[in-house]
Amino acid sequence: MFRWNARVGASIRFSFTIQINNHHSPMPELDLPQRQATDTLMLTRFWYRALPADRVHRNQLHQASLLEIPLVIGRDRAGRPFALRDACPHRGMPLNCGRFDGENLECGYHGWQFDVHDGQCELIPSLTSDQKLKVDRIYAGSYPCEEQDHFIWVYIPDPGPPGAGFGPRSEPPDLAPQIEKFSSKYKLTYLQAEMPVSIDHGIIGLMDPAHGPFVHQAWWWRSRHSIHEKQKHFEPIPNGFRMSAHTPSSNSAPYKLLRLYADADSITTTIDFVLPNIRTETIRAGKYWFSSLTTVTPITRNHCRIDVVAAWNLFRWVPFVPNLMKFVFAKFVEQDRRTMELQAEGLKYNPHLMLIDDADRPAKWYFQLKAAHLEAKRTGAPMKHPMTGPVMLKWRS
Ligand code: FES
Ligand SMILES: [Fe+2]
């Protein structure tokens, strides 16, 4: 288990208790302060974005990494994507160095051949006709793989027992997440940024409301002097929480412009966070909408990547506006990336960290959700949501 230790005072020092318990026998609890490299648990049994789909070409192999698992990703002759562990089950040769004919992948070391979609071994060239090794019982590690909204998604199951080798792969319980769309015609774009911090810091940075006035300053957006008190309503949703629909703060020019353009009396924004790493934002103004699905993907335990995919039907026919929107987005993401790069310098020295109310409450919920998820997985009981009902939070930003 994995819990918060609250201490008295206006702020809460955060430290968790982690108990690694594989055999259901009591083990001493380790009470460690939050440290960026050691505490980050990367959640398995979820879909993760691996690569932008337009970078993965037919009959070609690409390397990727998710949750410290090396992957080789490609498309077969028909364009269907696949993901294999980038290590041959024979002697560990990276499979991306092999030969791929659009159907089978041949390892570059001893020529074993594998079906790219299920990882099953098809041929071992060194076998003589009287050697009866059952080739089809050998598998390369293979992962469910789907293309969705410009990304190749890969499902990462729980790790098998150490040293057990691979068998037929485990199938995902659901499809990869999709962006919600509210009309048949829309535009779609994506942005990526790599951050040298753990997934936890990437996620709490993404949901943090208090950094806006300091990190995201721009003359066309807002200045730090526009900081003011805000109240937002939050409610629990399965595996996460929602900032309930509301009219976004009117202190920014783009929102004023949007209201005018859409000729709508109300603009509503909904922001959801769900485990393991998904933030969705939906803005609706009359018949116009904007929708985004942002993920923070653990590449290694202290390195993550933010992928923002946005779809919209606003301003589809107005020249420059989509480019302008992408520019605005890119600027925000770059500001976040630069901030986390600097933060990583400070985190090297394992400082004690704090989460304060109310601005850091979403971050607390994130850690509590993660702990509750792991606890439910361990015990097999339904997950106990850390929020019992709607909550109003107040902060200045
Ligand atoms: S290491 Fe791949 S065939 Fe031997
Ligand atoms: Fe930000």
Side-chain angles (χ1 to χ4, degrees), residues 87-95 106-114 123-125:
C88 179
H90 180 210
R91 298 245 289 280
M93 183 76 168
L95 289 174
E106 182 186 275
C107 178
Y109 202 170
H110 313 94
W112 291 20
Q113 284 185 22
F114 303 95
L123 180 80
I124 295 184

PDB file of all heavy atoms in Angstrom, residues 87-95 106-114 123-125, ligand 1:
ATOM      1  N   ALA A  87      13.553  -7.297 -28.044  1.00  0.00           N
ATOM      2  CA  ALA A  87      14.604  -8.218 -27.627  1.00  0.00           C
ATOM      3  C   ALA A  87      14.192  -9.609 -28.089  1.00  0.00           C
ATOM      4  O   ALA A  87      13.091 -10.064 -27.772  1.00  0.00           O
ATOM      5  CB  ALA A  87      14.775  -8.194 -26.113  1.00  0.00           C
ATOM      6  N   CYS A  88      15.040 -10.242 -28.818  1.00  0.00           N
ATOM      7  CA  CYS A  88      14.733 -11.594 -29.315  1.00  0.00           C
ATOM      8  C   CYS A  88      14.658 -12.566 -28.141  1.00  0.00           C
ATOM      9  O   CYS A  88      15.493 -12.517 -27.235  1.00  0.00           O
ATOM     10  CB  CYS A  88      15.826 -12.013 -30.284  1.00  0.00           C
ATOM     11  SG  CYS A  88      15.588 -13.669 -30.940  1.00  0.00           S
ATOM     12  N   PRO A  89      13.647 -13.456 -28.119  1.00  0.00           N
ATOM     13  CA  PRO A  89      13.546 -14.398 -26.999  1.00  0.00           C
ATOM     14  C   PRO A  89      14.679 -15.428 -26.998  1.00  0.00           C
ATOM     15  O   PRO A  89      14.888 -16.105 -25.997  1.00  0.00           O
ATOM     16  CB  PRO A  89      12.189 -15.080 -27.231  1.00  0.00           C
ATOM     17  CG  PRO A  89      11.908 -14.924 -28.688  1.00  0.00           C
ATOM     18  CD  PRO A  89      12.561 -13.624 -29.098  1.00  0.00           C
ATOM     19  N   HIS A  90      15.430 -15.543 -28.099  1.00  0.00           N
ATOM     20  CA  HIS A  90      16.542 -16.484 -28.132  1.00  0.00           C
ATOM     21  C   HIS A  90      17.692 -15.978 -27.279  1.00  0.00           C
ATOM     22  O   HIS A  90      17.951 -16.485 -26.199  1.00  0.00           O
ATOM     23  CB  HIS A  90      16.983 -16.720 -29.597  1.00  0.00           C
ATOM     24  CG  HIS A  90      18.118 -17.683 -29.739  1.00  0.00           C
ATOM     25  ND1 HIS A  90      19.031 -17.592 -30.763  1.00  0.00           N
ATOM     26  CD2 HIS A  90      18.491 -18.756 -28.997  1.00  0.00           C
ATOM     27  CE1 HIS A  90      19.914 -18.577 -30.633  1.00  0.00           C
ATOM     28  NE2 HIS A  90      19.593 -19.295 -29.571  1.00  0.00           N
ATOM     29  N   ARG A  91      18.353 -14.907 -27.714  1.00  0.00           N
ATOM     30  CA  ARG A  91      19.489 -14.415 -26.936  1.00  0.00           C
ATOM     31  C   ARG A  91      19.501 -12.898 -26.805  1.00  0.00           C
ATOM     32  O   ARG A  91      20.555 -12.304 -26.601  1.00  0.00           O
ATOM     33  CB  ARG A  91      20.791 -14.928 -27.554  1.00  0.00           C
ATOM     34  CG  ARG A  91      20.878 -16.478 -27.523  1.00  0.00           C
ATOM     35  CD  ARG A  91      21.981 -16.972 -26.644  1.00  0.00           C
ATOM     36  NE  ARG A  91      23.259 -16.686 -27.264  1.00  0.00           N
ATOM     37  CZ  ARG A  91      23.799 -17.411 -28.240  1.00  0.00           C
ATOM     38  NH1 ARG A  91      23.188 -18.458 -28.705  1.00  0.00           N
ATOM     39  NH2 ARG A  91      24.965 -17.083 -28.734  1.00  0.00           N
ATOM     40  N   GLY A  92      18.317 -12.307 -26.914  1.00  0.00           N
ATOM     41  CA  GLY A  92      18.184 -10.894 -26.550  1.00  0.00           C
ATOM     42  C   GLY A  92      18.577  -9.868 -27.592  1.00  0.00           C
ATOM     43  O   GLY A  92      18.604  -8.674 -27.296  1.00  0.00           O
ATOM     44  N   MET A  93      18.900 -10.307 -28.783  1.00  0.00           N
ATOM     45  CA  MET A  93      19.263  -9.334 -29.839  1.00  0.00           C
ATOM     46  C   MET A  93      18.102  -8.365 -30.056  1.00  0.00           C
ATOM     47  O   MET A  93      16.949  -8.793 -30.127  1.00  0.00           O
ATOM     48  CB  MET A  93      19.516 -10.121 -31.135  1.00  0.00           C
ATOM     49  CG  MET A  93      19.970  -9.273 -32.286  1.00  0.00           C
ATOM     50  SD  MET A  93      21.707  -8.849 -32.053  1.00  0.00           S
ATOM     51  CE  MET A  93      22.075  -8.203 -33.686  1.00  0.00           C
ATOM     52  N   PRO A  94      18.374  -7.046 -30.155  1.00  0.00           N
ATOM     53  CA  PRO A  94      17.258  -6.134 -30.464  1.00  0.00           C
ATOM     54  C   PRO A  94      16.627  -6.496 -31.812  1.00  0.00           C
ATOM     55  O   PRO A  94      17.321  -6.614 -32.818  1.00  0.00           O
ATOM     56  CB  PRO A  94      17.919  -4.753 -30.537  1.00  0.00           C
ATOM     57  CG  PRO A  94      19.163  -4.893 -29.736  1.00  0.00           C
ATOM     58  CD  PRO A  94      19.625  -6.320 -29.927  1.00  0.00           C
ATOM     59  N   LEU A  95      15.326  -6.686 -31.809  1.00  0.00           N
ATOM     60  CA  LEU A  95      14.656  -7.102 -33.044  1.00  0.00           C
ATOM     61  C   LEU A  95      14.617  -5.984 -34.073  1.00  0.00           C
ATOM     62  O   LEU A  95      14.477  -6.250 -35.265  1.00  0.00           O
ATOM     63  CB  LEU A  95      13.241  -7.601 -32.745  1.00  0.00           C
ATOM     64  CG  LEU A  95      13.176  -8.948 -32.011  1.00  0.00           C
ATOM     65  CD1 LEU A  95      11.738  -9.275 -31.623  1.00  0.00           C
ATOM     66  CD2 LEU A  95      13.760 -10.078 -32.866  1.00  0.00           C
ATOM     67  N   GLU A 106      12.629 -11.111 -39.007  1.00  0.00           N
ATOM     68  CA  GLU A 106      13.711 -12.076 -38.860  1.00  0.00           C
ATOM     69  C   GLU A 106      14.817 -11.472 -38.014  1.00  0.00           C
ATOM     70  O   GLU A 106      15.336 -10.403 -38.325  1.00  0.00           O
ATOM     71  CB  GLU A 106      14.261 -12.419 -40.254  1.00  0.00           C
ATOM     72  CG  GLU A 106      15.361 -13.447 -40.230  1.00  0.00           C
ATOM     73  CD  GLU A 106      15.957 -13.620 -41.632  1.00  0.00           C
ATOM     74  OE1 GLU A 106      15.404 -14.404 -42.421  1.00  0.00           O
ATOM     75  OE2 GLU A 106      16.954 -12.937 -41.937  1.00  0.00           O
ATOM     76  N   CYS A 107      15.145 -12.151 -36.910  1.00  0.00           N
ATOM     77  CA  CYS A 107      16.194 -11.650 -36.021  1.00  0.00           C
ATOM     78  C   CYS A 107      17.530 -11.656 -36.756  1.00  0.00           C
ATOM     79  O   CYS A 107      17.851 -12.584 -37.496  1.00  0.00           O
ATOM     80  CB  CYS A 107      16.261 -12.511 -34.765  1.00  0.00           C
ATOM     81  SG  CYS A 107      17.573 -11.997 -33.642  1.00  0.00           S
ATOM     82  N   GLY A 108      18.315 -10.599 -36.507  1.00  0.00           N
ATOM     83  CA  GLY A 108      19.576 -10.433 -37.217  1.00  0.00           C
ATOM     84  C   GLY A 108      20.693 -11.344 -36.737  1.00  0.00           C
ATOM     85  O   GLY A 108      21.749 -11.410 -37.351  1.00  0.00           O
ATOM     86  N   TYR A 109      20.484 -12.066 -35.620  1.00  0.00           N
ATOM     87  CA  TYR A 109      21.589 -12.867 -35.058  1.00  0.00           C
ATOM     88  C   TYR A 109      21.578 -14.305 -35.592  1.00  0.00           C
ATOM     89  O   TYR A 109      22.553 -14.761 -36.178  1.00  0.00           O
ATOM     90  CB  TYR A 109      21.443 -12.850 -33.534  1.00  0.00           C
ATOM     91  CG  TYR A 109      22.696 -13.142 -32.736  1.00  0.00           C
ATOM     92  CD1 TYR A 109      22.709 -12.953 -31.353  1.00  0.00           C
ATOM     93  CD2 TYR A 109      23.870 -13.601 -33.343  1.00  0.00           C
ATOM     94  CE1 TYR A 109      23.840 -13.213 -30.596  1.00  0.00           C
ATOM     95  CE2 TYR A 109      25.000 -13.870 -32.598  1.00  0.00           C
ATOM     96  CZ  TYR A 109      24.986 -13.673 -31.222  1.00  0.00           C
ATOM     97  OH  TYR A 109      26.101 -13.936 -30.466  1.00  0.00           O
ATOM     98  N   HIS A 110      20.464 -15.042 -35.409  1.00  0.00           N
ATOM     99  CA  HIS A 110      20.406 -16.425 -35.900  1.00  0.00           C
ATOM    100  C   HIS A 110      19.212 -16.679 -36.813  1.00  0.00           C
ATOM    101  O   HIS A 110      18.841 -17.811 -37.065  1.00  0.00           O
ATOM    102  CB  HIS A 110      20.347 -17.424 -34.735  1.00  0.00           C
ATOM    103  CG  HIS A 110      21.362 -17.137 -33.672  1.00  0.00           C
ATOM    104  ND1 HIS A 110      21.073 -16.382 -32.554  1.00  0.00           N
ATOM    105  CD2 HIS A 110      22.674 -17.480 -33.588  1.00  0.00           C
ATOM    106  CE1 HIS A 110      22.165 -16.273 -31.810  1.00  0.00           C
ATOM    107  NE2 HIS A 110      23.161 -16.919 -32.413  1.00  0.00           N
ATOM    108  N   GLY A 111      18.580 -15.594 -37.218  1.00  0.00           N
ATOM    109  CA  GLY A 111      17.537 -15.720 -38.235  1.00  0.00           C
ATOM    110  C   GLY A 111      16.205 -16.299 -37.793  1.00  0.00           C
ATOM    111  O   GLY A 111      15.394 -16.690 -38.641  1.00  0.00           O
ATOM    112  N   TRP A 112      15.935 -16.367 -36.493  1.00  0.00           N
ATOM    113  CA  TRP A 112      14.608 -16.843 -36.078  1.00  0.00           C
ATOM    114  C   TRP A 112      13.568 -15.869 -36.640  1.00  0.00           C
ATOM    115  O   TRP A 112      13.781 -14.650 -36.645  1.00  0.00           O
ATOM    116  CB  TRP A 112      14.479 -16.878 -34.548  1.00  0.00           C
ATOM    117  CG  TRP A 112      15.312 -17.919 -33.868  1.00  0.00           C
ATOM    118  CD1 TRP A 112      16.413 -18.559 -34.375  1.00  0.00           C
ATOM    119  CD2 TRP A 112      15.116 -18.420 -32.539  1.00  0.00           C
ATOM    120  NE1 TRP A 112      16.920 -19.436 -33.447  1.00  0.00           N
ATOM    121  CE2 TRP A 112      16.137 -19.362 -32.310  1.00  0.00           C
ATOM    122  CE3 TRP A 112      14.194 -18.163 -31.527  1.00  0.00           C
ATOM    123  CZ2 TRP A 112      16.246 -20.061 -31.101  1.00  0.00           C
ATOM    124  CZ3 TRP A 112      14.300 -18.854 -30.326  1.00  0.00           C
ATOM    125  CH2 TRP A 112      15.319 -19.797 -30.118  1.00  0.00           C
ATOM    126  N   GLN A 113      12.439 -16.400 -37.060  1.00  0.00           N
ATOM    127  CA  GLN A 113      11.407 -15.527 -37.617  1.00  0.00           C
ATOM    128  C   GLN A 113      10.174 -15.507 -36.743  1.00  0.00           C
ATOM    129  O   GLN A 113       9.751 -16.539 -36.213  1.00  0.00           O
ATOM    130  CB  GLN A 113      11.023 -15.998 -39.021  1.00  0.00           C
ATOM    131  CG  GLN A 113      12.077 -15.612 -40.051  1.00  0.00           C
ATOM    132  CD  GLN A 113      11.647 -15.977 -41.459  1.00  0.00           C
ATOM    133  OE1 GLN A 113      10.459 -16.139 -41.730  1.00  0.00           O
ATOM    134  NE2 GLN A 113      12.616 -16.104 -42.352  1.00  0.00           N
ATOM    135  N   PHE A 114       9.575 -14.322 -36.627  1.00  0.00           N
ATOM    136  CA  PHE A 114       8.402 -14.146 -35.779  1.00  0.00           C
ATOM    137  C   PHE A 114       7.278 -13.461 -36.530  1.00  0.00           C
ATOM    138  O   PHE A 114       7.523 -12.587 -37.357  1.00  0.00           O
ATOM    139  CB  PHE A 114       8.761 -13.278 -34.555  1.00  0.00           C
ATOM    140  CG  PHE A 114       9.889 -13.844 -33.760  1.00  0.00           C
ATOM    141  CD1 PHE A 114      11.202 -13.414 -33.987  1.00  0.00           C
ATOM    142  CD2 PHE A 114       9.664 -14.837 -32.816  1.00  0.00           C
ATOM    143  CE1 PHE A 114      12.259 -13.950 -33.277  1.00  0.00           C
ATOM    144  CE2 PHE A 114      10.722 -15.377 -32.093  1.00  0.00           C
ATOM    145  CZ  PHE A 114      12.029 -14.936 -32.325  1.00  0.00           C
ATOM    146  N   LEU A 123       9.913 -19.862 -37.566  1.00  0.00           N
ATOM    147  CA  LEU A 123      11.019 -20.605 -38.159  1.00  0.00           C
ATOM    148  C   LEU A 123      12.285 -20.439 -37.339  1.00  0.00           C
ATOM    149  O   LEU A 123      12.601 -19.341 -36.886  1.00  0.00           O
ATOM    150  CB  LEU A 123      11.269 -20.043 -39.578  1.00  0.00           C
ATOM    151  CG  LEU A 123      12.399 -20.698 -40.363  1.00  0.00           C
ATOM    152  CD1 LEU A 123      11.943 -22.008 -40.991  1.00  0.00           C
ATOM    153  CD2 LEU A 123      12.921 -19.745 -41.441  1.00  0.00           C
ATOM    154  N   ILE A 124      12.983 -21.574 -37.151  1.00  0.00           N
ATOM    155  CA  ILE A 124      14.325 -21.532 -36.557  1.00  0.00           C
ATOM    156  C   ILE A 124      15.241 -22.201 -37.580  1.00  0.00           C
ATOM    157  O   ILE A 124      15.213 -23.425 -37.753  1.00  0.00           O
ATOM    158  CB  ILE A 124      14.352 -22.264 -35.189  1.00  0.00           C
ATOM    159  CG1 ILE A 124      13.460 -21.510 -34.190  1.00  0.00           C
ATOM    160  CG2 ILE A 124      15.787 -22.378 -34.687  1.00  0.00           C
ATOM    161  CD1 ILE A 124      13.457 -22.066 -32.784  1.00  0.00           C
ATOM    162  N   PRO A 125      16.021 -21.416 -38.285  1.00  0.00           N
ATOM    163  CA  PRO A 125      16.775 -21.971 -39.419  1.00  0.00           C
ATOM    164  C   PRO A 125      17.787 -23.053 -39.045  1.00  0.00           C
ATOM    165  O   PRO A 125      18.111 -23.895 -39.875  1.00  0.00           O
ATOM    166  CB  PRO A 125      17.495 -20.753 -40.017  1.00  0.00           C
ATOM    167  CG  PRO A 125      16.740 -19.571 -39.531  1.00  0.00           C
ATOM    168  CD  PRO A 125      16.182 -19.955 -38.206  1.00  0.00           C
TER     169      PRO A 125
HETATM  170  S1  FES B   1      19.214 -13.858 -30.792  1.00  0.00           S
HETATM  171 FE1  FES B   1      17.609 -13.731 -32.165  1.00  0.00          FE
HETATM  172  S2  FES B   1      17.778 -15.526 -33.323  1.00  0.00           S
HETATM  173 FE2  FES B   1      19.311 -15.718 -31.857  1.00  0.00          FE
END
